[in-house]
């Protein structure tokens, strides 16, 4: 009977739960789903990470290649993110060129990388004006159940921490690059941006980490990306119902707590694979 | 309104530092808006802010493709075309921001199973992404008003830049934007003064954020042009209505000579060159 009510009046069904300050899956309004992360699973990639946020699953693979640095910045490399939402993850995506959702997510990740300065692009330069690394970060969603931006940001961060670049020297006589695959070093990750997404219901209620159904019923969304010093890299609010300053402050404090949780999880995972 | 702006000590009003001087008591550059200049769209508006200019056209409520129709409300679509080149991923991202902002204010439930299309063309661009987004939002709002689409509130787009010592500069020039530590763009509605849309670039602390959000509704931009005091009946040679911002003698820089004094018209009296529209024109005006 509850299933029938849910199909006919999904919003009313949801409101019954919200009145009791909880959600259909049993979570509190400020509680995140179980987060799991798995690093280094793709052996052919230079760095990889698989993140599961409840049912939402995103895998990130980083490949490093050579390229000529941009002419207006000869001492910088490139970081190129791409988010792919294939038909596998949800029935609402069709195969073909990237849809709007994928493009918006790709732009969001590119903005996070740019704003947070997670990697100093100068570190990716091998020889100014001649050779630099380009890191292609491919994020593929395997299962779409809401909150794709948080999962992608976390997957990207974990994969970049896992990336090992070989040492490259330019041979002066032949002017060719010599790659030493035996000597690899980790990237210098300067900040750890963590995204926290909220959904707004009925213009007043804020819930954290919305699932796919909750996102569909929500009247607005908000994503805050914070780094460890409490600095905001991104406050992404793509329209939707209005929010007052006080509510934004609540969201920011929740984002700070989430950052601590994610950082702890990440440190545990990194520590578990380090001794090789 | 003006006192609130000055109590916050962190604002600095630029005086003649940018390309054009700012109005007295107002830290925004020259801006102007013109409505009803295109004949085919149901509503159109051109918004000029500093060096950025965007032309918007609205078609709707019109027929919608069955695959895109929503049973209980109107389907809103936004198309943004850059000044040069083909639209890319950044344009898609901006389209999403503008569309969601419009969806929050447009009363779509009054026109179910229809489509409202907003087309934005960038006419001149000072090279700053944040300034462009604010200008697009303003142009879209004015075009929706001109088309007579029912809305529950109007919204305005505002850009501010935080420089390295934490000073907030409203409506930055492209030079100020490049040197700033963070650039924030907001859309605020005029009824409840709530934050509708926010897009940020760069790093800033959460202590700096509330002050910039409070500032969004305050400057002359939202209060002045959202409530145009008179709808001028311009001479028959020009195309449409004009709404002026709080700028002194700005008419000449818009490319036209000084206007003749307008004939005294009652603001709500239908004027000769206005077309009848589906919904009442007085939505959001006055």
């Amino acid at each position: 009977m509850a299933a029938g009510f849910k199909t006919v009046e999904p919003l009313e069904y949801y409101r019954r739960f919200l009145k009791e300050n909880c959600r259909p899956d049993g979570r509190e309004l400020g509680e995140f789903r179980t987060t799991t992360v798995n690093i280094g699973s793709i052996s052919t990639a230079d760095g990889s990470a698989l993140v599961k946020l409840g049912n939402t699953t995103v895998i990130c693979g980083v490949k490093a290649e050579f390229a000529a640095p941009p002419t207006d910045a000869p001492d910088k490399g490139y970081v190129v993110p791409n988010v792919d939402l294939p038909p596998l993850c949800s029935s609402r995506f069709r195969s073909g060129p990237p849809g709007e959702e994928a493009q918006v997510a790709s732009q969001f990740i590119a903005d996070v990388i740019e704003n947070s300065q997670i990697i100093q692009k100068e570190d990716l330069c091998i020889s100014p004006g001649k050779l630099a690394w380009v890191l292609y970060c491919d994020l593929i969603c395997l299962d779409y159940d809401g909150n794709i931006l948080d999962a992608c940001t976390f997957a990207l961060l974990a994969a970049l921490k896992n990336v090992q670049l070989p040492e490259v020297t330019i041979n002066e006589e032949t002017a060719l690059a010599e790659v030493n695959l035996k000597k690899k070093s980790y990237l210098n990750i300067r900040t750890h941006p963590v995204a926290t997404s909220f959904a707004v219901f009925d213009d007043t209620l804020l819930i954290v980490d919305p699932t796919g159904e909750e996102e569909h019923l929500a009247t607005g969304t908000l994503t805050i990306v914070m780094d460890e010093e409490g600095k905001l890299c991104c406050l992404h609010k793509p329209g939707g119902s209005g929010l007052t300053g006080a509510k934004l402050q609540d969201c920011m404090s929740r984002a700070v707590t989430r950052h601590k949780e994610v950082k702890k999880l990440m440190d545990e995972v990194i520590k578990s694979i380090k001794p090789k | 309104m003006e006192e609130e702006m000055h109590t916050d000590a962190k604002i600095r009003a630029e005086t003649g530092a940018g390309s054009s001087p700012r109005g007295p008591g107002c830290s925004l550059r020259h801006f102007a808006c013109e409505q009803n200049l295109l004949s085919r769209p149901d509503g159109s508006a051109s918004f000029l802010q500093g060096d950025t200019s965007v032309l918007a056209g609205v078609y709707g409520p019109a027929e919608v493709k069955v695959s895109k129709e929503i049973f209980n409300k109107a389907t809103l679509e936004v198309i943004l075309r850059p000044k040069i080149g083909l639209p890319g991923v950044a344009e898609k991202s901006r389209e999403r921001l503008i569309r969601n902002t419009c969806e929050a204010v447009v009363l779509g439930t009054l026109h179910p199973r229809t489509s409202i299309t907003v087309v934005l063309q960038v006419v001149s661009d000072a090279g700053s992404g944040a300034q462009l987004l604010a200008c697009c939002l303003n142009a879209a709002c004015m075009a929706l008003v001109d088309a007579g689409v029912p809305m529950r509130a109007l919204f305005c787009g505002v850009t501010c830049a935080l420089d390295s010592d934490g000073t907030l500069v409203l409506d930055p020039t492209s030079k100020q934007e490049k040197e700033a530590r963070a650039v924030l763009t907001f859309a605020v509605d005029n009824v409840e003064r709530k934050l509708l849309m926010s897009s940020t670039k760069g790093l800033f602390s959460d202590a700096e954020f509330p002050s910039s959000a409070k500032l969004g509704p305050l400057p002359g931009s939202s209060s002045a042009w959202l409530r145009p005091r008179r709808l001028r009946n311009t001479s028959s040679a020009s195309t449409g209505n004009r709404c002026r911002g709080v700028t002194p003698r700005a008419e000449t820089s818009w490319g036209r000579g000084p206007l003749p004094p307008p004939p005294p018209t009652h603001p709500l009296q239908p004027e000769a060159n206005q077309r009848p529209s589906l919904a009442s024109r007085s939505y959001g005006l006055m």
Side-chain angles (χ1 to χ4, degrees):
Chain A
M1 200 199 75
F5 183 47
K6 186 178 175 187
T7 320
V8 170
E9 282 283 343
L11 197 54
E12 227 8 89
Y13 175 80
Y14 217 77
R15 284 201 191 109
R16 302 278 169 92
F17 283 93
L18 289 177
K19 256 204 302 239
E20 309 292 327
N21 267 348
C22 74
R23 288 135 97 171
D25 53 4
R27 287 188 285 157
E28 304 263 312
L29 299 188
E31 203 182 313
F32 263 84
R33 288 174 282 184
T34 328
T35 316
T36 44
V37 58
N38 186 323
I39 290 191
S41 41
I42 306 177
S43 52
T44 46
D46 295 299
S48 62
L50 173 80
V51 166
K52 268 175 89 83
L53 210 67
N55 281 334
T56 303
T57 312
V58 172
I59 186 155
C60 176
V62 181
K63 289 285 279 180
E65 287 176 10
F66 287 138
T71 37
D72 54 348
D75 58 341
K76 292 194 170 155
Y78 303 85
V79 181
V80 181
N82 182 42
V83 176
D84 187 21
L85 299 172
L88 169 71
C89 63
S90 168
S91 57
R92 55 196 178 121
F93 303 119
R94 297 280 147 84
S95 57
E100 194 199 290
E101 181 100 35
Q103 290 193 45
V104 169
S106 299
Q107 184 64 37
F108 176 80
I109 299 290
D111 287 341
V112 168
I113 295 173
E114 179 73 40
N115 291 344
S116 64
Q117 298 280 303
I118 184 172
I119 292 179
Q120 187 87 304
K121 291 213 173 110
E122 282 80 358
D123 294 344
L124 295 174
C125 182
I126 302 165
S127 165
K130 294 208 193 74
L131 204 65
W133 284 113
V134 50
L135 296 176
Y136 289 109
C137 311
D138 295 304
L139 294 123
I140 299 167
C141 177
L142 300 173
D143 197 347
Y144 188 99
D145 194 19
N147 206 0
I148 193 82
L149 297 178
D150 284 12
C152 285
T153 323
F154 191 7
L156 178 77
L157 180 62
L160 285 173
K161 282 201 87 112
N162 181 238
V163 167
Q164 283 184 303
L165 292 179
E167 197 195 341
V168 181
T169 44
I170 307 267
N171 190 332
E172 265 126 41
E173 295 147 359
T174 59
L176 285 174
E178 276 166 13
V179 181
N180 185 357
L181 286 168
K182 298 228 171 41
K183 208 164 151 203
K184 290 197 178 182
S185 58
Y186 284 97
L187 281 175
N188 179 17
I189 306 288
R190 294 160 79 233
T191 56
H192 297 82
V194 170
T196 314
S197 291
F198 302 83
V200 186
F201 266 90
D202 288 337
D203 300 342
T204 44
L205 223 59
L206 272 167
I207 59 167
V208 133
D209 189 15
T211 63
E213 296 167 350
E214 289 168 1
E215 264 180 7
H216 191 68
L217 297 170
T219 51
T221 54
L222 167 69
T223 307
I224 298 181
V225 182
M226 253 198 187
D227 73 0
E228 52 260 335
E229 291 150 31
K231 293 239 164 189
L232 284 107
C233 314
C234 181
L235 196 124
H236 186 246
K237 186 183 188 304
S241 2
L243 283 181
T244 57
K247 287 229 158 61
L248 283 167
Q249 279 295 83
D250 291 338
C251 295
M252 287 191 217
S253 26
R254 184 67 188 88
V256 169
T257 337
R258 175 66 180 165
H259 188 281
K260 295 200 183 83
E261 294 166 17
V262 166
K263 186 86 186 359
K264 206 171 86 168
L265 178 62
M266 183 98 89
D267 290 339
E268 271 175 39
V269 172
I270 301 280
K271 234 182 5 202
S272 65
I273 61 159
K274 268 287 188 358
K276 249 201 218 161
Chain B
M1 210 58 91
E2 300 293 324
E3 310 88 62
E4 285 171 76
M5 210 162 75
H6 292 298
T7 47
D8 195 328
K10 290 242 176 191
I11 316 155
R12 181 179 49 186
E14 286 296 299
T15 44
S19 51
S20 39
R22 299 186 180 219
C26 168
S27 55
L28 298 175
R29 286 176 294 167
H30 155 64
F31 64 90
C33 168
E34 191 174 345
Q35 285 181 314
N36 198 8
L37 24 71
L38 300 174
S39 61
R40 307 235 48 136
D42 296 323
S44 55
S46 169
F47 205 89
L48 172 86
Q49 222 173 326
D51 303 321
T52 316
S53 162
V54 174
L55 182 61
V58 169
Y59 290 91
E63 197 161 319
V64 67
K65 259 195 262 190
V66 183
S67 57
K68 287 196 203 158
E69 79 174 9
I70 305 175
F71 77 97
N72 61 344
K73 54 183 191 163
T75 311
L76 206 84
E77 247 177 40
V78 173
I79 301 168
L80 173 61
R81 313 229 78 198
K83 188 177 76 171
I84 25 174
L86 288 168
V89 181
E91 274 71 41
K92 261 285 182 296
S93 173
R94 285 196 194 117
E95 281 173 16
R96 159 75 71 98
L97 292 174
I98 298 166
R99 192 184 76 233
N100 284 13
T101 314
C102 294
E103 270 173 1
V105 289
V106 163
L107 296 169
T109 46
L110 288 178
H111 298 283
R113 295 191 311 280
T114 61
S115 87
I116 300 173
T117 313
V118 181
V119 185
L120 297 151
Q121 172 68 59
V122 178
V123 171
S124 78
D125 183 1
S128 51
Q131 193 66 278
L132 183 64
L133 182 60
C135 200
C136 288
L137 283 163
N138 293 330
C141 180
M142 297 311 283
L144 284 166
V145 165
D146 190 47
V149 172
M151 302 202 276
R152 65 169 182 83
L154 297 186
F155 58 90
C156 73
V158 148
T159 319
C160 37
L162 272 170
D163 61 13
S164 38
D165 52 347
T167 327
L168 200 71
V169 177
L170 273 174
D171 196 20
T173 60
S174 348
K175 185 165 162 292
Q176 285 168 327
E177 255 192 60
K178 282 198 184 66
E179 292 163 5
R181 174 162 56 97
V183 180
L184 307 103
T185 311
F186 302 113
V188 184
D189 78 323
N190 73 333
V191 171
E192 289 164 6
R193 301 293 169 94
K194 279 197 190 161
L195 183 71
L196 283 179
M197 191 275 311
S198 152
S199 169
T200 66
K201 200 169 93 154
L203 274 173
F204 55 99
S205 73
D206 57 350
E208 285 158 349
F209 186 79
S211 55
S212 39
K214 247 195 308 200
L215 234 38
L218 295 178
S221 70
S222 53
S223 50
W225 66 261
L226 287 176
R227 292 195 307 269
R229 289 176 204 91
R230 304 175 284 281
L231 285 179
R232 290 187 179 201
N233 198 356
T234 54
S235 62
S236 53
S238 64
T239 46
N241 302 320
R242 283 222 202 143
C243 310
R244 298 282 170 198
V246 186
T247 47
R249 294 173 220 347
E251 280 86 288
T252 47
S253 62
W254 186 234
R256 293 174 191 260
L259 292 170
T265 48
H266 190 278
L268 289 178
Q269 208 176 64
E271 278 144 338
N273 56 353
Q274 273 190 1
R275 289 171 289 117
S277 61
L278 287 166
S280 155
R281 278 277 172 163
S282 61
Y283 263 109
L285 294 174
M286 314 293 167

